[in-house]
Amino acid sequence: MIAIPAVDLREGACVQLVGGEYAQERVRLDDPVSVARTWAQHGFRFVHVVDLDAATGRGSNARVVREILHDAALAVQVGGGVREIDRVADLIDDGACRVVVGTRALEEPEWLAELAHEYPGEIVVAADVRERRVVTRGWARTTGIHIDDIVEELNTLPLGGLLVTAVHKEGQLQGTDLPLMEDVAEASHFPVYASGGITTMQDLRALADRDVAGCVIGMALYTGALDPRLVAEEFCE
């Protein structure tokens, strides 16, 4: 299993939010490019960059995303408000190894199918989940769609992976939703990446034992709950 630090962008800064709530910002670092470089120095091979402002319709951090991609200290997967094929093309041209799509991909299956076949293996679908129900539009809209149904539909596509975020665990440093991640990994035909609540080395090992391909870690790394060098050393591939 591979561990991937999260670089969440808001108003040009790298932030960490508790439970995805903008009013609950716990971490703010003003130089996201430097933050990404720091993760590379600790031994990580990938970072996961999300434009929170684009995801929620509050603005755009496209310039910062481009700077991180052009820095080339490590491989970068990018998401957050990616709802046009042209934007996907721009990100891949700028050096993104994978592009993460969420809201439109889940709301318009035909668009996702076109995208996945245009960029086979390079598209990761983000399914943000609260109590097994998918949420979209920056976690603002709870749908009636069960994650099991999403996985079944996605299994027919040439995707690069499925990123499942346990929104009800996000940023709380109380552990991840292991039953959720185990069920999704078991049902999925492609790599599954887990996010939300990952706090300890035991959490990471438990996910690896459940055949999760990778995990995106935020709050635990930024607050020191996890030692980045130890994580990178054990979960670098």
Side-chain angles (χ1 to χ4, degrees), residues 31-177:
D31 188 348
V33 178
S34 178
V35 171
R37 283 193 200 121
T38 297
W39 296 134
Q41 291 163 6
H42 283 308
F44 291 99
R45 297 194 296 116
F46 292 85
V47 289
H48 175 77
V49 175
V50 179
D51 187 338
L52 295 176
D53 292 325
T56 57
R58 289 176 166 88
S60 172
N61 293 279
R63 178 187 58 80
V64 180
V65 171
R66 193 174 301 111
E67 288 178 6
I68 294 173
L69 287 170
H70 289 177
D71 191 63
L74 29 63
V76 184
Q77 66 179 33
V78 182
V82 180
R83 296 175 184 135
E84 301 295 337
I85 291 180
D86 287 349
R87 178 61 176 151
V88 174
D90 288 344
L91 289 169
I92 290 175
D93 288 345
D94 279 337
C97 65
R98 291 185 292 262
V99 176
V100 183
V101 293
T103 294
R104 187 175 181 186
L106 297 173
E107 293 180 350
E108 298 182 30
E110 297 84 1
W111 179 79
L112 175 60
E114 179 185 354
L115 183 64
H117 285 96
E118 180 76 17
Y119 298 99
E122 296 179 289
I123 303 300
V124 173
V125 172
D128 298 336
V129 179
R130 183 181 286 116
E131 303 300 341
R132 302 275 172 142
R133 301 291 174 182
V134 173
V135 296
T136 59
R137 301 190 179 275
W139 302 351
R141 177 174 176 257
T142 301
T143 72
I145 305 172
H146 197 282
I147 184 60
D148 292 351
D149 297 328
I150 291 291
V151 174
E152 185 177 351
E153 290 179 12
L154 296 180
N155 276 338
T156 62
L157 300 176
L159 296 173
L162 173 64
L163 171 64
V164 179
T165 298
V167 175
H168 49 291
K169 295 285 190 176
E170 181 73 13
Q172 299 181 46
L173 297 178
Q174 295 177 358
T176 192
D177 188 333

